[in-house]
Amino acid sequence: MDWNEAIAVRPDGDRRFAAHVDEQWTSLQGVHGGVVAALALTATERVLADEGVDPATTLRAATFGYVSGNVVGDLAVDVEIVRRGRKLVTTHARTSQDGKTTTVARFHHSPPWEAMDFSDAPPPPPRHEGAVRLDWGDTPAHLNNVETYLHPDTSVFAGTERAEWIAWSRPLHGGTFDAAWLTMFADYFPPAVFTKATEPQRAVTIEYAIQIHDAARTWTLADDELLSARMHAFHSHDGFAVEDGWIHLPDGTLLATTRQTRLAG
């Protein structure tokens, strides 16, 4: 899996880009939504660069609506600049296949602002000595595109007390990653409700949001360092589940938070 190739986009008209998703990004249903989100972000940031947006501007928040499933093959991304203020830039992107909209996205880019600093977020879980490398076998799957170690109590359809993934991960392509990879990774894990369930069930993402809490354009992990990730579905009712996630850097700094709304049951 070549990450740069996976998120490559090429101009195909006025603020339109063409891309391709191959079978390496096959998910439990169709194509992994995280890589589609990363492609939409890559296309959007190409437009911002072409418009001369301040290079210090980085992605701070994004929301993705999955209105139809993506499949392996070609796709198109159309980008619209909704508003360009003195600092904050808001854009929309629409991903389509064969003329059919599959994903809609909203991005907020900004340079860092002066403001108070504090965090009451849950601390990152220390890496468990018994953490097990995630291996999805020889079948092409997006889960094999990240080096991930699972907490030994994290297992699908195990009827666990909490609907939660706890894991430690790093990119396969090296220690340096950017907002596009982070956007993919924050949607990388299977539904947290799968750990609480005792048998397969529906849990399709209909909306995914990420907030990035660091204005750096890239981050670098040492060879022995891993990101920590905790994804917790804290509520499920009437066919919908809500899942929150926290991603921390190795020094304990909160890098990103995420929320997903899923069809469940």
Side-chain angles (χ1 to χ4, degrees):
M1 192 279 298
D2 185 304
W3 173 246
N4 290 328
E5 182 178 333
I7 60 167
V9 299
R10 64 181 186 277
D12 191 30
D14 185 21
R15 295 181 180 173
R16 164 170 277 214
F17 297 83
H20 181 83
V21 180
D22 66 26
E23 64 178 1
Q24 295 298 321
W25 292 97
T26 301
S27 187
L28 298 177
Q29 297 186 34
V31 163
H32 173 49
V35 75
V36 176
L39 283 165
L41 174 59
T42 301
T44 297
E45 293 190 335
R46 286 277 295 272
V47 170
L48 296 185
D50 290 344
E51 292 294 320
V53 170
D54 183 351
T57 296
T58 61
L59 179 66
R60 303 312 300 267
T63 303
F64 304 90
Y66 297 106
V67 299
S68 180
N70 292 277
V71 297
V72 171
D74 296 332
L75 55 83
V77 183
D78 291 282
V79 179
E80 174 193 3
I81 297 180
V82 177
R83 183 179 185 275
R84 181 176 176 179
R86 287 179 296 175
K87 288 191 174 182
L88 188 67
V89 182
T90 300
T91 54
H92 286 170
R94 180 177 67 90
T95 300
S96 59
Q97 287 188 303
D98 296 325
K100 179 180 179 181
T101 299
T102 61
T103 307
V104 291
R106 179 173 63 249
F107 299 103
H108 300 290
H109 283 75
S110 171
W113 297 32
E114 292 293 333
M116 67 175 69
D117 289 330
F118 70 93
S119 180
D120 293 328
R127 183 177 176 183
H128 195 283
E129 292 182 358
V132 179
R133 174 74 183 261
L134 175 62
D135 183 357
W136 209 252
D138 296 330
T139 302
H142 84 276
L143 290 171
N144 292 327
N145 294 340
V146 176
E147 180 181 343
T148 293
Y149 301 87
L150 296 178
H151 190 285
D153 293 338
T154 297
S155 182
V156 296
F157 311 128
T160 56
E161 182 178 352
R162 288 167 62 92
E164 184 174 56
W165 288 91
I166 298 177
W168 299 268
S169 302
R170 61 180 287 118
L172 282 181
H173 62 269
T176 299
F177 60 95
D178 60 9
W181 186 90
L182 183 60
T183 298
M184 178 281 297
F185 175 66
D187 185 44
Y188 161 79
F189 294 94
V193 295
F194 281 3
T195 66
K196 191 176 183 68
T198 56
E199 59 185 19
Q201 62 175 284
R202 181 175 61 177
V204 179
T205 299
I206 60 171
E207 186 166 279
Y208 154 52
I210 181 173
Q211 303 81 37
I212 299 177
H213 307 296
D214 189 325
R217 299 192 66 85
T218 62
W219 302 267
T220 299
L221 305 174
D223 290 344
D224 60 345
E225 290 184 328
L226 300 164
L227 299 170
S228 67
R230 169 179 271 154
M231 306 293 168
H232 176 210
F234 62 91
H235 183 82
S236 181
H237 185 70
D238 283 346
F240 290 85
V242 180
E243 178 181 310
D244 279 350
W246 301 265
I247 299 171
H248 287 84
L249 291 168
D251 65 0
T253 300
L254 182 64
L255 175 57
T257 51
T258 178
R259 170 166 284 191
Q260 298 207 30
T261 302
R262 299 185 187 268
L263 294 175

